[in-house]
Amino acid sequence: AGSDAPASGGTGSADGTAPSGELTWAIAGATLSEGHMDPQTSQMDVTAMVQRVVFDSLVFQNADGSFSPWLASAWEVSEDGRSYTFTLRDDVTFTDGEKFDAAAVKANFDRIVAPDTASAQAASMLGGENYAGTTVIDDTTVRVDFHEPYAPFLQAASTPLLGFYSPRVLTESLDKLKAGGPDVTVGTGPYVLSEYTADQEIVYTANPDYAWGPQGQKTPSVQTLRVSLVPEPSVRTGMANSGEAQLVSELPPSSVAELNPDLTVDTKAYPGMPYSLFLNEKYGVFADQKVRQAFELGIDVDSAVESIFDGQFERAWSVLGPTTPMYDAAIEGTWAFDPKKAEALLDEAGWTGRDADGYRTKDGKRLSARWIAWTPIPDDRTALGNAIQSDLKKIGFEVVREALEPGAYNEQYGPKTYDITDWGFSGVDPDYLRSHLATDGFQNASQVSDPAVDALVAKGAETVDPTERAAVYTELQEWNAQHVAIVPLYVPALISASAPSVSGLTFDLYGRPLFYDASID
Amino acid sequence: MIRRALLAVAGVFLLVLVAMAVAPQLFTTADPLLADVSSRLLPPSADHLFGTDQSGRDVFARVVHGARSSLGVGVSAVIVALVIGTLLGWLIGSAPRPVDAVVMRVIDLALAVPEFLVALVVVALLGPGAGNVAVAVTLAVIPIYVRYARGHTRAIAAEEHVEAARMLGLPALTVSVRHVLPAVMRRLTVLATIGIGSTILAVAGLGFLGLGAGEPAPEWGLMLAGGRNVLARAWWVTLFPGLAITLTVVCASLIGRALRERVEGLR
Amino acid sequence: MSGIRLQGLVIADGAGERSRELVRVDELQVAPGECVAVVGESGAGKSLLLRALLGLVPRPLQVSAARMDVDGVDIAGASERELRAVRGSRIALVGQDALVALDPLRRVADEVSEPLAIHTDLRRRARRARAVGLLTDVAVDRPALRAAQYPHELSGGMRQRSLIASALAADPPVLALDEPTTALDATVQRRVLELVRSLADDGRAVVLVSHDIAAVSAIADRVVVMRDGHVVESGATASVIASPSHPYTRELLTSARRRAPERRMIGDRELLSAHNLTRRFAHTAAVSDVSLRLNNAEVVGVVGESGSGKSTLVRMLLGAEQPDEGRVTLDGAAWSPLPESARRSRRTRIQLVAQNPRGAFLPTWTIGRTIGEALAAAGVPRREHAARIAELLERVELDPAFAGRRPRTLSGGQLQRAAIARALAVAPDVLLLDEPLSALDVSVASRILAVLRRLRDEGTAMVLVSHDLAVVGELADRILVMRAGHVVEEGTATEIFSAPAHAFTRELLASRAVLPPS
Amino acid sequence: MIRRAAIGVFGGVLLLWVAATVSFLLMRVIPGDPVAVMLGPQANVSEEVKQRLREQLGLDRPLPQQYLDYLAGLLRGDFGESFQLRLPVTEVIGRQLGATLQLTLAALGIALALVLIVAIVARTRRTRAVAATVEQVLLGMPVFWIGLILLSVFAFGLGWFPVSGSRPGSLVLPALTLALPTAALLGQLLRDGLEQAERSEFAETVRARGAGDVRLFAHHTLRHAAVGTLPMVAYLIGSLLGGAVLVETVFARPGLGRVTLAAIMDRDAPVLSGVLLLSCAVFVVVSLLSDLAVPLLDPRRRARSARPRAAEDAA
Ligand SMILES: Nc1ncnc2c1ncn2[C@@H]1O[C@H](COP(=O)(O)OP(=O)(O)OP(=O)(O)O)[C@@H](O)[C@H]1O
Ligand SMILES: Nc1ncnc2c1ncn2[C@@H]1O[C@H](COP(=O)(O)OP(=O)(O)OP(=O)(O)O)[C@@H](O)[C@H]1O
Ligand SMILES: [Mg+2]
Ligand SMILES: [Mg+2]
């Protein structure tokens, strides 16, 4: 698209009237104050969700997965898939007056991969070890190089994680980025972070000079975006019903029934890895594939997900969520709840004895798996855990759960001393499977170590052709359905409720609200 | 009259609670851990006296089984704190002034930090979990007992009967063990009975913050934490564990106060 | 005539069947200008009677009266509101324990003038000024200073007079005084009584309660004798004292008339001697340069007003308090200031019956156990304990069954005797007694005196401490008179009584309430 | 008075030094590698980076050196840097202090008002028994449960108060939650003191002067009860801070409680020791103030007699 009308420099929103009104947006956001205000370092979804309004990206990903120009008016991928050359708009300025140019792109990307930055996610999206460097060709042309072909880059470049800080803050306030604040969290976006009270609220004010929205939008019409940080879900629900907040996100599925009927509820399934259990095959009972399969078949995922999430979330079948590109729908229904078969598998695996508590034993040892999770654990996941535990008890499989605070969790996660752990992961490009399944992947909690799998994930990253790529990921999904390294449970969704006074709200592929065209009366 | 009746009721309630802690299966056959997602959040009924929670577990069974951890941790923490606190306080109180002054500074420090914060920090040191909570709560209350024991030791040591016994030619230690220690112990035991309440509250508080026994353990504080998100549509999930805590604490302190009146009436 | 007119007053504990009558007074009248004394032993109902006059009998007790007029107002039928208007303005009460009857947190001026704050519209400044005047009226020295002080900064006598000043503040025509002279030493006591008399002479109706018939006989126009809530005798003071009709009144009078000291034989072996003892606390010397000698079978008395250092002296003799200067010898051998470990083997030779007998007993132990501990310390084999305990209790005229009782179930007098029994358990050569009779009413006191006399006659050497010259005079062979830590006079009992050398001794003797011989 | 204050200050400084030492040791004994904690779960960082961070934090120096550096830092008002936020501890605590202060002060105010009202209203045996029962029950209720009940009745049910946010009304329920148990405890103490004072001889004297209940309360017994309650105030403030952790969680309010909890969860030792030092300092200051206030109310404590020592022993 690109913008035809040059920025006039004056105020003026998309429809020509001055921005006005205030929209209160309640989110959980408990982790923001713990050093997660910087999308370039944080791995928290919430960071990207709120800071999207401050940080623009090179390209915009449309609902159909295709890409359109944004800060880059055009781009080109080299034949070998190792170089991406972007042509930048020349009318973009950061809200502190700095100019957005090729040098700014380079400064940001180099900062993300710098070891001191200790970025978990953004660095990985920038290719990690694969990133070779960014070259400034001229003011408006910049090239990003990789050692190996790197297909997911455009998608990565469309996220706020690879958004751009003003070069001035990168030099002057580098150590404050994680904590964030006015004059620190400075980007090119439609809003300026104007006030921040940790653990309480973030106030964003419309950027009067904005004229480079993904669809050419200008200064948004809502003048003040007040993000209320409310970790208690019940309180958020209350705020939605009382009208205290006009937009409430991260609502628990169970609360949907309690919402006033006049609210608009948007449920957007997260793309990426569904919430899953990772079975550690290098540690205990899960070394045996039959035990893994029995584990999977012994859980009544359908009824648990249906009732615990009040029908708001879908159950998951594959390591890719259904809204993720290259999802393989053929897996659906292939491993439905079958306790009889699970029992048979366990018998085959030799777990035939029974102890006083009714659990299976083999050679006097109880069939038991230890599940570690890091706190805080939301209620519904707790309920799901309880259901899983109870289901498996019925087939004589003991599950012991430990909730650990992040520090203690790391102590076990590092040496991989657990049987089960859990998480979900949002990502629009299936390349995230690389870190979860490759032998040396940092999220390889199941300790999968299979050269064939390694080759597949590498191929997935290199292949640019969409159909070829799809074949690779189909194979990977089927592999997991058989091998059972990961047990996908449900597809989480971002549930937002908006007041009737709010209109024009759109959502990105991650289900996060976008405010370019929003208005409030 | 009414007081008598109230005390009797409190006593009976505590006995029932102890019975629940020792033999929960006498009160309910339901499994406190069994999650049945098809019967989530059912209101109280004949099948589920106190209804069911988000995981479809029987709240009554969980309240009954919860008695063990709440009471167990509360009581054992108090007993350990009582014994350690009394002995320490007695020793400090019997020590020469300068030693007493220095040691009391350290005890004052422990008192300077709110009890609950001490427990929190200890949990931070040891990590969450039921056992660690017991240790944390114990450590948090010991200074209070030390302080009281030390105060009583000095006060009782100044009583005339102690001097009278010394003037019979008995060694100081004999006199202290015979005259001071039992009196200190008796007064602190009464204090401890009242104190059970506050340890139970602390245990529940830690459980509420998710630092105690983890899911799926039936622990009252944890149950309250779990129920707070369904407050609006399932009051029974929080009401019953809340009532259980409150009744336990109130009964323990009623009985403790009655005991104190009797013991101090002797003075 | 107004004043007090009372008929058919009954104060009972509980109503209906289970009620217990505490006080029954058929008739009591006090005319303006008259001072009526109500005497009787502890628990006779004197205080309740006074409270009834103000409608202040505490809640569970029931009051009924055929007629109860105070300054013309019917108290029995008055509402709480009306009563509040009467209290302080028509009748004022001076409470039993002056030392604690003033609010310790408020200045004396505020306390004294509080009736004005309640019953008049006077401003604060005016009230304070008035308070100084009132203090002057009751002969408090330096009234302006006292008014600005707090009660704890005043001596007992001053507090007592301040309390009276407060009662007088709103100028009530009727005054009720409850034991206004207990806890005061003899000199102060006399001054307060004179003040009371002058108040009656000013035209007020005064009721004065006391357990000391001797003390009130000097000032009261009429005496009412109470026992167990009943009036057993009443009449003009002179006639009641001259010819008491009720046996109880006679008992009161005899115990008030102490016998004169008699001459006895005393031993010649020195048991205990103190040489130039001095003990200082913070700023003052509680005892300075006191010497004392006690032979076998001798009783040495120590008298002096409150705070003169008597207890401190006794504690140094015992070795419970280390002297700053001087030394004590026991049986000619060094005793104080030896370290306690060096004394331990001879500990049973000397015993103290402390000022407060209750303190000597562990509340949770039975009397028998406490005495048993003493027996064990003296090396008496365990199996003999029971018999010895019974024997000791009998020696102090207590039923051996008391061995099984706990201290709190004993009265003050019984406990005092048990404490003596405990001290005797180790068969000491020297018995130190600190105020053995204070705080006991006359009949109990005379029984203990009898016990002590027997011990003396059996040959126990004693040091007897008291602020009451009469008590000491009755038992002691020699007497030391102490004042402010110093011994101001020393001599045989006869010498002291017949020819006191020091002015202070003379004052003590003079202020002693003496009844005319019967 | 000045001497007394000086002794109090000296004792307080001593106490703070001990507290600092304990905090320092605490930081070293809290298990878990601070650097790993800093980087969070699933961190994907090389060993050299970790080593460099360790040097930055001064964790590679010998312990006594670290201790001295820490003490020197404290004197300069530098409490170290949060592992988790990479911000000075003073700033982490400072920006949350206001919210907690607001909450605790409001709670204290409400509690005092409640206590006084109850003390004035409840004067008969019966009303006092009712008040005592209510207090007993309140003291038995976990503070977070009180919060949940208030929340469901007044916020969700009746909608009288906002459930959250920064509007003034949002302070009401949390402050009330925290105030109720405090008021119950304070009320018990105060009533014990009042009843004791009412039983004293002087109260009888005051009644005999014609004073009514109100005068007795306002001019006499209240002051006695206050004297008895003052020494407990420091403890009470402390327990308010402890309670704030729970109340802030229930009402999802920002504040020190949240900071503390997060620090514990993340094993952020510098923040934790900052919180501990702060609460010690509050205790020291409040007890100093209450120690100094007692003689103002009680003239008997002004004299330099042997009495206060005995009183202290009996406490
Ligand atoms: N509040 C009360 N409840 C029950 N009995 C009481 C109460 N007050 C006093 N009595 C009883 O009433 C009787 C008379 O008490 P009162 O105080 O009038 O005696 P008293 O003659 O003043 O004695 P004392 O000389 O010791 O002051 C005593 O037996 C006492 O126990
Ligand atoms: N432990 C102490 N500390 C400070 N001063 C003391 C102490 N013991 C006694 N005194 C002071 O020493 C003086 C003498 O006290 P002591 O108890 O010997 O008097 P007493 O003659 O027995 O008086 P009473 O007749 O009232 O018993 C008093 O001024 C008292 O205040
Ligand atoms: Mg009396
Ligand atoms: Mg004395």
Side-chain angles (χ1 to χ4, degrees), chain C residues 265-464:
Chain C
M265 290 300 292
I266 58 169
D268 51 5
R269 187 166 53 89
E270 180 191 286
L271 278 180
L272 184 74
S273 71
H275 306 273
N276 310 96
L277 292 179
T278 296
R279 179 76 174 104
R280 283 178 284 267
F281 291 113
H283 301 290
T284 52
V287 172
S288 46
D289 200 27
V290 171
S291 298
L292 175 154
R293 185 192 144 103
L294 178 73
N295 284 358
N296 60 330
E298 187 184 18
V299 175
V300 170
V302 179
V303 278
E305 59 189 351
S306 179
S308 58
K310 307 181 298 290
S311 296
T312 310
L313 173 64
V314 173
R315 288 170 53 76
M316 282 192 289
L317 295 178
L318 179 69
E321 189 93 59
Q322 297 287 7
D324 292 325
E325 282 158 38
R327 66 198 158 79
V328 180
T329 60
L330 184 63
D331 268 338
W335 174 251
S336 189
L338 284 183
E340 185 60 32
S341 51
R343 282 198 293 246
R344 197 166 290 149
S345 57
R346 291 186 291 153
R347 258 287 161 223
T348 54
R349 305 284 314 278
I350 181 166
Q351 284 295 305
L352 168 73
V353 177
Q355 192 158 359
N356 168 18
R358 204 165 285 273
F361 292 88
L362 240 171
T364 46
W365 283 11
T366 59
I367 303 299
R369 187 165 173 198
T370 300
I371 298 178
E373 185 186 42
L375 287 172
V380 177
R382 194 159 204 95
R383 67 198 131 76
E384 291 174 23
H385 281 189
R388 288 291 302 278
I389 291 169
E391 182 193 317
L392 284 165
L393 289 175
E394 273 170 6
R395 251 177 104 187
V396 296
E397 294 179 9
L398 281 180
D399 188 332
F402 275 95
R405 307 238 312 240
R406 280 177 215 283
R408 90 190 125 97
T409 65
L410 269 61
S411 78
Q414 291 164 337
L415 212 56
Q416 186 70 267
R417 278 176 280 168
I420 296 173
R422 177 185 180 281
L424 293 176
V426 299
D429 299 322
V430 179
L431 193 58
L432 308 173
L433 296 144
D434 195 352
E435 303 274 14
L437 303 185
S438 67
L440 297 179
D441 62 63
V442 282
S443 49
V444 180
S446 57
R447 295 188 70 177
I448 290 180
L449 217 51
V451 170
L452 293 180
R453 192 174 296 119
R454 241 210 7 255
L455 285 175
R456 181 190 68 174
D457 297 342
E458 286 166 15
T460 311
M462 291 188 257
V463 174
L464 178 66

Side-chain angles (χ1 to χ4, degrees), chain C residues 13 20 22 41-48 51 58 61 96 179:
Chain C
D13 189 2
R20 190 166 58 94
L22 295 174
E41 64 188 354
S42 181
K46 309 180 296 286
S47 297
L48 281 182
R51 284 189 195 165
L61 303 188
Q96 182 158 4
E179 308 264 17

